[in-house]
Amino acid sequence: MEQELIGGTIAAVVFQNQQNGYAVVKLNSEDGASITVVGTIPTPIAGERLLVTGKWSTHASYGRQFEAEFLERLLPETTAQILAYLSSRAVRGIGPKTAEKLVKHFGESTLKVLEREPERLTEVSGVSPKKAREMGESFRTQVGVRRLIELLSSYHISPEIAMRAYRLYGQESVEIVHTNPYLLTQAELGAPFAAADRLALELGFDGDDARRVEAGVLFELRHNLNNGHTFLPQDKLTAATAALLELDESFILPAIERLRAVQRVYTQEIGALTAVYLPEYFQAEQYIAQRVLKMSQAADAEIPHAQAQIAAIEHSRQLQYADLQREAICAAAQKRILILTGGPGTGKTTTLAGILAMFDRLRYKTLLAAPTGRAAKRLSELTECEASTIHRLLEVQVSPETGEMFFLRGESEPLGCDALIVDEVSMVDLLLMESLLRALPEKGRLILVGDPDQLPSVGAGNLFSDLIRSGAIKTICLTEIFRQARESLIVMNAHAVNHGQLPALSVTDRDFFFMKRRSAENVVQTIAQLCAQRLPQNMGVPADEIQVISPTRKGETGTYNLNIVLQNALNPKSAQKKEVFCGTNCFREGDRVMQIRNNYDILWKRIGGGMGAGIFNGDIGIVRSIDHTADAITIRFDDREAIYDADMLTELELAYAITAHKSQGSEYRAVIFAVYSGAPMLLTRGVLYTAITRARELLILVGNEEIVAQMTENNRRNKRYSGLRLRLMQSL
């Protein structure tokens, strides 16, 4: 739909969220109509006038409403408007009675006096000099926020960013932005570079202005974190920045040098490259390398009668460890740091249980952690010991002033443990590992467990692979596939794919099946039938224990379309089920949903008692109830329930189908993998291997065997610039 522009006066504020500025207001339009306007409208106040650009939509419960995308806020002008505005307690210290006195005394000049001459407010009886200063300061804050929002909105920079900037810079925000609009592109503010650049150029900045060139360099470094790079080679950074700014490369190198001089970037020779880093990634690589080397080079602990103790553990558990498993258990007790890897069916879980038993015999206090909630839950189930997410273990907090995340646990308040075991380390990025190592006690032991053949972390760095390939850490790779595991086609096909061999698609017994479908429409229909009827009715696998995975989000067999189809098949529209809309997404009571970004502020209650905060990227839950009156959605995440406001729904998406990347760290009773289409960078061996290894009892591939072959053959891994491996190797 095309955008429209409407104007009017706020008659009432129905709802507002002070943290992010989301609001629902009733607007009396200029033609006399009453309109419901929703969107980011920080601190809306009855009586103020708005010019709103946006689109019409229809809410399932509230009917027709106008979704604001950009707005201009106009202060009231007439005495009646000013009285309504101040009577709403918009300004701290002014209620209806004081408002009436002020407007009676100053008339249409009331707001000008509040902003520019607050000392004159003492002309009104009952207003002390202190109260006058407080009123003036409160009003100037509002005016500052409004002016900043108006300035940035005209360049399509969202009100959310304006609010962040105002929290950071206060009443000087507008002046600071005029002085250097590129400050808006800082990581803590997050404005698009193109928008800030357009604002700067229209304010008269030259194309080769030093502030513009430096901001371009920093933008390119931050942008490439999304591609996994912890640094960029100087020549590539120079070329990319020159292209971004449409400047000659001769302007870029001096900018890099200026930034280096004030430590806003760091440069270092890494192999044959001149690497340019953002400070936090340079420092993280340095710290991790130093700490890991110190741990790996520490003298081995003497474990009395180690082999006898392992034999005792075997006897108590009625099993016999393979040689590599015995070596891993012994090394875990002797070494300060150990890496344990291996594919499916090679006994990682059994070995991990043996390590825990050895630590118990040595009376070590051991903590277990994993990157995601589902991975932590799975680790708890496998080891029968409590495990938590790394963020929860480190006691993540969010600064109320800046909104930035930090951990309570660190060098000044380390974890209370003798040993720490971390699973699914392939998902851990560079900065998280730095935080984990800083919180590890000086003499603590660290056991890193994972599968390096799975997809790398979403965050920057190539951490797990770098640690293994450096040779700096004792690494035990379990390779023997045990007899029971060899009976599983899931396990055997996973190993075949990992070695570049086609999975056995023609075998249709046991736990691995391939269903050939020649059209995208048939792939989608088959997946819907499998989830809704065939697996629940014929194989006793309920729909809530089936996870559909696709390599891609886009296209007919991508997760977006599959989720719509599966929602209709598994949780169809019903008069008994409430719905809530967020853009084009419909969330219905009973839907499976996924949190798509870390939110450390969401409060949750544990079923059976206890409270906490934080729902993380990849957590999957069920919509239990929707309360339109309170604008609240209750979601059950395993054993926790959290309440979402309507404006938080942008952090959720349907999760009947998820990408292979999102499935990492999880295991499902049954997995259906759509293998039909996708971008070449997604149709890789790593994606196929990751999808196969998510299935515990049943895996069904639906689609084209040629795509299966293409993925098996394509061992392409996106190269990530990382200096950690060389740092470790150079120090050996």
Side-chain angles (χ1 to χ4, degrees):
M1 297 190 303
E2 292 185 3
Q3 287 187 335
E4 292 185 30
L5 175 67
I6 62 172
T9 303
I10 295 179
V13 178
V14 179
F15 170 82
Q16 63 175 310
N17 184 314
Q18 298 288 358
Q19 296 300 314
N20 59 21
Y22 180 86
V24 180
V25 302
K26 289 290 185 183
L27 196 74
N28 287 337
S29 71
E30 293 166 350
D31 60 5
S34 178
I35 299 171
T36 299
V37 178
V38 301
T40 302
I41 313 171
T43 60
I45 297 161
E48 70 173 321
R49 295 178 298 142
L50 301 180
L51 288 176
V52 188
T53 302
K55 299 176 182 178
W56 290 99
S57 66
T58 301
H59 189 281
S61 299
Y62 302 129
R64 198 164 186 247
Q65 57 189 23
F66 194 76
E67 295 183 359
E69 296 187 15
F70 297 97
L71 57 90
E72 182 179 357
R73 307 177 75 149
L74 306 173
L75 287 171
E77 294 178 341
T78 68
T79 54
Q81 290 172 342
I82 294 170
L83 179 60
Y85 174 76
L86 293 178
S87 295
S88 67
R89 301 186 184 277
V91 178
R92 190 169 58 249
I94 301 180
K97 289 184 179 179
T98 304
E100 189 174 351
K101 290 180 182 179
L102 292 173
V103 174
K104 185 176 181 180
H105 186 79
F106 295 111
E108 292 182 355
S109 300
T110 303
L111 298 184
K112 291 181 181 177
V113 172
L114 267 169
E115 181 182 6
R116 301 172 189 172
E117 303 175 280
E119 66 277 1
R120 287 190 58 198
L121 298 175
T122 58
E123 297 173 14
V124 174
S125 64
V127 179
S128 66
K130 180 183 177 182
K131 193 172 181 182
R133 286 194 301 273
E134 290 174 349
M135 291 176 181
E137 183 179 337
S138 173
F139 183 69
R140 281 195 300 273
T141 296
Q142 287 188 24
V143 171
V145 172
R146 283 169 173 72
R147 286 178 177 165
L148 186 60
I149 288 174
E150 289 170 15
L151 170 66
L152 300 187
S153 291
S154 61
Y155 292 91
H156 286 244
I157 299 174
S158 72
E160 293 98 324
I161 292 172
M163 289 190 69
R164 288 181 217 141
Y166 196 86
R167 283 199 296 267
L168 189 61
Y169 298 121
Q171 293 183 15
E172 307 300 319
S173 297
V174 172
E175 290 75 12
I176 289 172
V177 168
H178 271 96
T179 303
N180 186 0
Y182 296 105
L183 292 173
L184 295 168
T185 64
Q186 296 176 98
E188 57 266 38
L189 298 181
F193 182 85
D197 194 38
R198 186 166 59 250
L199 170 58
L201 294 175
E202 291 194 18
L203 287 173
F205 278 59
D206 292 330
D208 60 354
D209 186 288
R211 291 164 294 182
R212 180 174 188 254
V213 184
E214 290 167 14
V217 170
L218 294 173
F219 168 78
E220 284 294 341
L221 287 172
R222 279 196 299 272
H223 175 74
N224 277 281
L225 295 174
N226 299 323
N227 296 323
H229 304 310
T230 59
F231 72 81
L232 284 182
Q234 186 167 272
D235 58 344
K236 292 186 180 295
L237 174 61
T238 300
T241 308
L244 172 73
L245 303 178
E246 297 182 341
L247 289 174
D248 188 87
E249 292 188 12
S250 61
F251 289 100
I252 313 303
L253 282 175
I256 295 173
E257 182 55 34
R258 290 194 300 272
L259 290 168
R260 190 194 64 77
V262 294
Q263 297 184 332
R264 296 187 68 192
V265 303
Y266 284 80
T267 61
Q268 188 171 25
E269 299 302 314
I270 300 289
L273 302 174
T274 299
V276 185
Y277 287 88
L278 290 168
E280 60 268 35
Y281 288 88
F282 179 79
Q283 292 157 7
E285 277 195 1
Q286 277 198 323
Y287 179 81
I288 291 170
Q290 292 167 2
R291 185 74 193 273
V292 163
L293 285 168
K294 184 178 179 181
M295 294 173 70
S296 66
Q297 292 168 1
D300 288 357
E302 290 193 15
I303 308 300
H305 312 296
Q307 294 303 321
Q309 296 209 51
I310 294 174
I313 294 170
E314 288 178 319
H315 179 73
S316 67
R317 293 174 177 266
Q318 297 183 331
L319 53 75
Q320 185 172 358
Y321 294 118
D323 290 344
L324 280 176
Q325 291 178 309
R326 294 175 69 90
E327 182 184 346
I329 295 169
C330 190
Q334 292 175 328
K335 304 286 184 183
R336 289 276 308 284
I337 184 168
L338 174 73
I339 292 176
L340 177 65
T341 75
T346 57
K348 281 204 308 289
T349 301
T350 303
T351 307
L352 200 52
I355 290 171
L356 282 166
M358 175 64 89
F359 286 175
D360 283 344
R361 296 176 72 88
L362 296 172
R363 297 186 178 179
Y364 290 166
K365 181 180 179 182
T366 306
L367 295 175
L368 286 81
T372 66
R374 295 187 71 85
K377 181 184 178 185
R378 179 167 170 256
L379 180 60
S380 295
E381 293 169 348
L382 293 174
T383 61
E384 298 182 349
C385 296
E386 184 180 354
S388 71
T389 64
I390 297 173
H391 285 80
R392 194 162 293 132
L393 182 76
L394 299 180
E395 298 182 34
V396 65
Q397 303 288 313
V398 177
S399 167
E401 290 81 21
T402 65
E404 292 184 1
M405 179 200 78
F406 65 94
F407 295 116
L408 289 180
R409 294 291 183 172
E411 289 166 315
S412 60
E413 192 175 347
L415 296 166
C417 66
D418 301 302
L420 173 62
I421 296 174
V422 184
D423 196 14
E424 298 288 354
V425 181
S426 62
M427 300 176 67
V428 177
D429 63 28
L430 194 76
L431 296 186
L432 187 56
M433 178 55 74
E434 180 197 14
S435 298
L436 194 64
L437 285 171
R438 288 189 184 277
L440 187 70
E442 182 65 25
K443 295 185 178 180
R445 299 179 184 283
L446 182 62
I447 313 299
L448 301 174
V449 185
D451 185 344
D453 296 311
Q454 289 188 28
L455 298 170
S457 63
V458 174
N462 216 12
L463 179 90
F464 199 41
S465 175
D466 282 351
L467 292 175
I468 293 170
R469 291 188 300 138
S470 72
I473 303 172
K474 173 71 173 179
T475 300
I476 295 178
C477 180
L478 303 176
T479 55
E480 180 184 349
I481 304 174
F482 289 93
R483 180 181 58 80
Q484 186 175 357
R486 287 199 298 270
E487 296 174 1
S488 166
L489 282 173
I490 294 174
V491 170
M492 299 310 294
N493 280 326
H495 283 278
V497 166
N498 203 28
H499 289 92
Q501 301 166 6
L502 275 173
L505 301 182
S506 59
V507 181
T508 56
D509 58 358
R510 293 191 272 180
D511 56 3
F512 186 106
F513 300 87
F514 172 70
M515 302 179 72
K516 182 190 297 186
R517 296 294 183 269
R518 286 304 187 190
S519 72
E521 181 182 1
N522 285 340
V523 169
V524 173
Q525 287 178 349
T526 299
I527 289 173
Q529 291 168 359
L530 286 167
C531 292
Q533 297 143 13
R534 296 170 68 173
L535 293 187
Q537 294 172 10
N538 301 336
M539 302 191 71
V541 182
D544 60 4
E545 295 185 18
I546 304 167
Q547 183 60 61
V548 176
I549 298 176
S550 173
T552 181
R553 294 176 58 86
K554 300 177 181 179
E556 199 169 345
T557 60
T559 58
Y560 184 80
N561 183 59
L562 282 169
N563 271 315
I564 295 172
V565 172
L566 291 170
Q567 182 189 45
N568 291 332
L570 301 174
N571 191 31
K573 187 178 181 67
S574 164
Q576 285 72 47
K577 293 178 180 178
K578 296 177 183 176
E579 298 176 344
V580 63
F581 288 83
C582 179
T584 58
N585 292 322
C586 169
F587 298 107
R588 187 174 296 144
E589 288 176 337
D591 274 338
R592 187 189 306 176
V593 294
M594 174 185 281
Q595 177 78 13
I596 58 172
R597 63 177 63 95
N598 291 339
N599 187 323
Y600 310 100
D601 292 332
I602 299 178
L603 298 176
W604 49 260
K605 289 184 178 179
R606 193 177 299 281
I607 308 304
M611 295 184 64
I615 302 294
F616 301 108
N617 185 6
D619 286 352
I620 290 180
I622 301 294
V623 178
R624 287 301 186 197
S625 64
I626 297 173
D627 185 341
H628 288 305
T629 303
D631 238 8
I633 300 92
T634 301
I635 300 176
R636 174 85 172 263
F637 294 93
D638 295 324
D639 62 344
R640 299 166 294 149
E641 280 194 350
I643 296 177
Y644 283 60
D645 295 330
D647 57 294
M648 296 161 61
L649 293 180
T650 56
E651 299 183 7
L652 293 173
E653 61 184 30
L654 292 173
Y656 297 103
I658 63 176
T659 64
H661 286 81
K662 288 289 188 182
S663 73
Q664 278 187 275
S666 300
E667 187 179 68
Y668 310 95
R669 181 178 174 185
V671 167
I672 300 171
F673 188 43
V675 281
Y676 186 79
S677 64
M681 66 179 63
L682 296 174
L683 299 181
T684 66
R685 185 183 302 174
V687 169
L688 179 58
Y689 176 77
T690 298
I692 292 173
T693 54
R694 298 310 90 204
R696 185 171 66 250
E697 295 180 16
L698 177 65
L699 176 72
I700 301 176
L701 305 185
V702 181
N704 188 336
E705 70 273 21
E706 293 176 3
I707 297 296
V708 178
Q710 179 181 337
M711 296 181 78
T712 304
E713 292 169 7
N714 182 7
N715 198 27
R716 170 185 174 182
R717 291 179 179 264
N718 291 334
K719 181 180 179 181
R720 293 185 168 200
Y721 291 112
S722 165
L724 181 60
R725 181 170 69 95
L726 284 175
R727 289 182 195 279
L728 290 167
M729 293 174 65
Q730 288 168 359
S731 301
L732 289 177

